[in-house]
Amino acid sequence: MARLPGPMLCGALLGLVCLTAPCPAVEVHVPAEPLSTPVGKTAELTCSYSTSVTDSFALEWSFVQPGKPISASLPILYFTNGHLYPTGSKAKRASLLQNPPTGGVATLKLTDVRSSDTGTYLCHVNNPPDFYTNGMGLINLTVLVPPSSPSCSQAGQISVGGSAILRCSSSEGAPRPVYNWVRLGSSPTPSPGSVVQDEVSGQLILSNLSLASSGTYRCVATNQMGSAVCELSFSVTDPSQGRVAGALIGVLLGVLFLSIAVFCLIRFQKERRKRPKETYRGSDLR
């Protein structure tokens, strides 16, 4: 007869016991919906649990940065042996609303939240010899940040008939800002077919440029926390006007050089007339 390995045998015996008699278990409950808090305010992350608290009871809150696995979590605070121990970079801003957290609720209070606090928070309850059914809860927190002052730039062939791209981007903002370009002043608005705007990337594409496309353009970055703007002066050049101006300058320079030459010639003639004529007397014979 085959023998079961030790851990499997223990698991089988535990399952048999739980079928015949109720087993104490740890159940952790957290809000199902993600939470959001404005920057600088206080966030309260609720965690409730059900278990028979004993001297072995321990609770831990930890934090995972966006995009990282749960295994990369960093401790915020933990409660064990009747004492609360804040730890890590958030230690001075983290506390529990219920201290000691032995009454079934362990709400994390985080003051003066900042953008780096956005991420996943883990509430983990451990109470041997109670067994886990759901001993950990996850809460996603987003810190709401207004858009920072965006940066405006331009690129492309900024001349008549060409195309240009106006770019606008904020380095900060949560939720991610949307961008809207407007043209200032009373100048005529470019035709719809020559303008393509992307509110997500912040790009404004201007095609088939004309001199009327010149002007001041403003980008407005907006989210639910506020808005910020930047402005850009846009000037379209006409290469044909440059060629006409160049030809005109060439003609003017030619006229100038000709005038100088004529002036010098006339002056030379006058100077020549003023010189006394020398009489040839022949050579003296001795």
Side-chain angles (χ1 to χ4, degrees):
M1 178 178 178
R3 299 180 60 184
L4 292 174
M8 295 182 62
L9 178 60
C10 292
L13 293 175
L14 176 60
L16 180 61
V17 170
C18 289
L19 288 174
T20 57
C23 287
V26 177
E27 286 278 355
V28 173
H29 303 279
V30 296
E33 297 296 324
L35 302 181
S36 59
T37 303
V39 63
K41 301 298 183 180
T42 297
E44 295 184 359
L45 288 70
T46 302
C47 174
S48 60
Y49 62 89
S50 59
T51 186
S52 302
V53 175
T54 65
D55 292 339
S56 301
F57 174 83
L59 176 138
E60 180 184 23
W61 275 99
S62 57
F63 169 72
V64 181
Q65 295 177 342
K68 291 192 175 182
I70 299 299
S71 58
S73 63
L74 303 173
I76 299 174
L77 57 79
Y78 58 95
F79 178 87
T80 185
N81 296 326
H83 297 283
L84 182 65
Y85 301 96
T87 185
S89 60
K90 307 181 193 298
K92 294 183 178 180
R93 300 184 293 118
S95 61
L96 291 177
L97 289 183
Q98 302 81 18
N99 190 15
T102 53
V105 182
T107 300
L108 175 67
K109 178 181 178 181
L110 191 62
T111 61
D112 188 25
V113 295
R114 53 203 63 171
S115 58
S116 58
D117 293 328
T118 293
T120 302
Y121 290 76
L122 286 66
C123 177
H124 186 199
V125 176
N126 187 15
N127 188 37
D130 288 5
F131 302 103
Y132 295 116
T133 54
N134 182 23
M136 183 170 62
L138 280 66
I139 302 176
N140 291 318
L141 173 68
T142 298
V143 178
L144 305 178
V145 181
S148 60
S149 296
S151 173
C152 288
S153 62
Q154 64 185 31
Q157 184 183 356
I158 309 174
S159 58
V160 172
S163 299
I165 300 176
L166 307 188
R167 295 187 175 94
C168 177
S169 178
S170 293
S171 59
E172 294 183 355
R176 185 175 180 178
V178 294
Y179 303 94
N180 184 41
W181 283 93
V182 294
R183 186 179 179 185
L184 304 182
S186 56
S187 302
T189 303
S191 60
S194 63
V195 178
V196 177
Q197 181 165 197
D198 188 335
E199 293 185 345
V200 177
S201 68
Q203 288 190 352
L204 177 69
I205 301 176
L206 302 173
S207 58
N208 193 23
L209 294 174
S210 66
L211 294 178
S213 304
S214 300
T216 300
Y217 290 77
R218 172 181 291 171
C219 173
V220 183
T222 308
N223 67 10
Q224 67 188 73
M225 292 296 294
S227 62
V229 303
C230 65
E231 295 181 0
L232 183 147
S233 294
F234 186 72
S235 179
V236 180
T237 60
D238 188 346
S240 63
Q241 290 183 352
R243 290 192 292 270
V244 171
L248 181 59
I249 292 174
V251 171
L252 292 176
L253 288 175
V255 171
L256 178 61
F257 290 145
L258 181 61
S259 300
I260 293 173
V262 171
F263 173 78
C264 291
L265 180 61
I266 293 174
R267 185 171 181 180
F268 173 76
Q269 292 294 339
K270 288 182 178 180
E271 291 292 335
R272 187 176 181 183
R273 291 192 188 105
K274 289 180 181 179
R275 293 177 185 174
K277 295 182 178 181
E278 296 182 358
T279 303
Y280 177 72
R281 297 179 181 180
S283 57
D284 295 337
L285 297 175
R286 296 184 179 180

